Amino acid sequence: TESLTVAELAKKLNREPSEIIKKLFLLGVVATINQQLDKDAIELIASEYGVKVEEEVVIDQTDLETYFTEDREEDLEVRPPVVTIMGHVDHGKTTTLDSIRHTKVTAGEAGGITQHIGAYQVKIDGKKITFLDTPGHEAFTTMRARGAQVTDITVLVVAADDGVKPQTVEAINHAKAADVPIIVAVNKIDKPTANPERVMQELTEYGLIPEDWGGDTIYVPISALTGEGIDNLLEMILLVSEVEELKANPNRRALGSVIEARLDKGRGPVATLLVQNGTLHVGDPIVVGHTYGRVRAMVNDLGRRVKEAGPSTPVEITGLNDVPEAGDRFVVFEDEKTARQIGEARKQQAVQAHRNETARISLDTLFEQL
Ligand code: GTP
Ligand code: MG
C-alpha cells in the first residue's frame, strides 16, 4: 500500500470518510476526501483503529538465470532434443510414450529397469532424444507460467479415426505461442476406420501443411499399439532437431528446470531435474526455485546411480532442504556459501509472500464479516 485517498482508506477501515478527516485533523493534518495519504499517515490512522498495515511484498522476480552468464559460440556443442507429446484425450499420448520407451529403452539397455522419474531418454544410432512424461499441456502451462521453457519439439498425436478435436487445437496454440516446432503423429492407423488424409486436411486449417502439399510440416503415420511407424517418428524428431541446431555448453556449472518433485519418506525432498545447460554433478551446491542444497545422489531414468548429467539429461536428485515445484529453475553455484545465501534469501521471500497472502485473505474475510 503505497498511497490511498482518504475515501479509500475509510472504505478499507469500514468508517465514514468524515470520521477519518476528523482523526487526521486531530493529528494536525488538514485533509479533504480525495486527498492522497502517504504511507506514514495511513499507518497512523490504521493504528488508531487497531489495524496493522502489511508491507506490500515485492517478490524477487530476479530470475535465477541472472546468475548465469552467456556462453561463447565456440563452447557450444550439439545436445539432444527435449520432446513433449500433446494431443486430444484418448488419441494415444500415453501409448505412444510407452511404445517408444519399450521398443528403445529396454531393448537397448540390458539390465536397466525403467524408473518413473517424469522423463526418459532413448538412443537411436548413438543419438539421444529426451521425452517428458508430463502431459504436454500441463508441461506447457505450469512450466511456462513459471518462465521455464523446456520443450524443443512437440509431437502432436492425432487419432486417425477421430480427427482434429478441441485439445488438438489447444496443443497447436501452446506450441505456436512457445515457438516450438510441431511434428504430427497420425496415430491409430491400424484401425479400419482410420482416415489419415482427413487429419491432414483438417490440420491445414491451422497452418500445419504437409510437405507433400507444399508446406513444411512433417506428418508421420503411426500405430502406437502395434509399434508401426515409431522408428520413423524418432528419425523425424532427430531430423527436426538437427535443423533446430540445439546446442549447450557441457563444460560449465548446470542450469535447468524442475520436471517434478515430491517428498519421499526415507530420502526427503526428491526432484527430477532437466539439465538444460552445463553438467550437473553429485556434490554440486544448488539453488532450486525457493529452496537449495547440495546434490547428494543422482539417479537416471533407468534407476541407475550416476555421478554427472549433461545437457538435456533428466535426473532425479536428493539433497534439497525443501520440495521445489515443477517449472522452478535451478542453478548450480561455485561454492556452498553462495548457494546457501541466495537460497536462504529466496526462501525468506517465499515465506514472506505466503504470509502476506494469508494475512490479506484473513483481513478480507474480516471486513466481509463486519
Ligand atoms: P489421455 O491420457 O486420457 O488423454 O489419453 P491418451 O492420449 O494418453 O491415450 P492413451 O494412450 O491412453 O490411448 C487411449 C486408448 O486408445 C487406449 O485404449 C489405447 O489402447 C488406444 N490406442 C492408443 N494408440 C492406439 C493405436 O495406435 N491403435 C489402436 N487401435 N488403439 C490405440
Ligand atoms: Mg494419457
Side-chain angles (χ1 to χ4, degrees), residues 85-98 135 137 157 159 161 167 186-192 222-228:
I85 304 224
M86 297 216 260
H88 193 70
V89 178
D90 276 353
H91 278 200
K93 299 178 292 293
T94 304
T95 313
T96 302
L97 276 167
D98 286 349
H137 302 262
V157 175
D161 62 338
Q167 280 178 51
V186 183
N187 191 31
K188 307 198 186 185
I189 51 155
D190 59 287
K191 284 194 161 187
I222 64 163
S223 167
L225 208 62
T226 67
E228 190 185 342

Side-chain angles (χ1 to χ4, degrees), residues 169-329:
V169 178
E170 202 180 286
I172 295 168
N173 292 336
H174 278 308
K176 279 188 177 164
D179 203 19
V180 171
I182 297 171
I183 294 174
V184 182
V186 183
N187 191 31
K188 307 198 186 185
I189 51 155
D190 59 287
K191 284 194 161 187
T193 48
N195 189 348
E197 193 89 352
R198 195 188 86 187
V199 172
M200 291 157 104
Q201 196 76 58
E202 287 175 346
L203 283 176
T204 54
E205 275 180 48
Y206 299 92
L208 300 178
I209 317 211
E211 288 181 312
D212 287 353
W213 301 356
D216 57 6
T217 301
I218 297 173
Y219 281 74
V220 187
I222 64 163
S223 167
L225 208 62
T226 67
E228 190 185 342
I230 293 291
D231 281 337
N232 195 13
L233 175 62
L234 296 173
E235 265 171 44
M236 290 305 137
I237 291 170
L238 287 174
L239 189 79
V240 172
S241 168
E242 261 166 49
V243 173
E244 294 288 306
E245 295 189 338
L246 306 168
K247 286 176 179 174
N249 173 7
N251 302 307
R252 66 174 305 175
R253 289 182 277 119
L255 162 138
S257 301
V258 176
I259 301 300
E260 53 179 56
R262 69 199 152 83
L263 189 64
D264 183 274
K265 263 191 211 155
R267 297 188 293 160
V270 174
T272 295
L273 305 181
L274 175 73
V275 179
Q276 293 178 273
N277 201 353
T279 297
L280 185 65
H281 308 266
V282 166
D284 277 349
I286 192 171
V287 176
V288 187
H290 295 287
T291 183
Y292 66 97
R294 185 183 263 278
V295 179
R296 198 191 309 144
M298 293 204 286
V299 169
N300 69 9
D301 55 338
L302 296 171
R304 292 201 184 111
R305 276 192 171 240
V306 288
K307 286 211 167 67
E308 53 176 45
S312 301
T313 309
V315 272
E316 193 182 75
I317 71 148
T318 54
L320 298 178
N321 59 19
D322 204 354
V323 183
E325 282 179 58
D328 275 349
R329 304 291 278 153

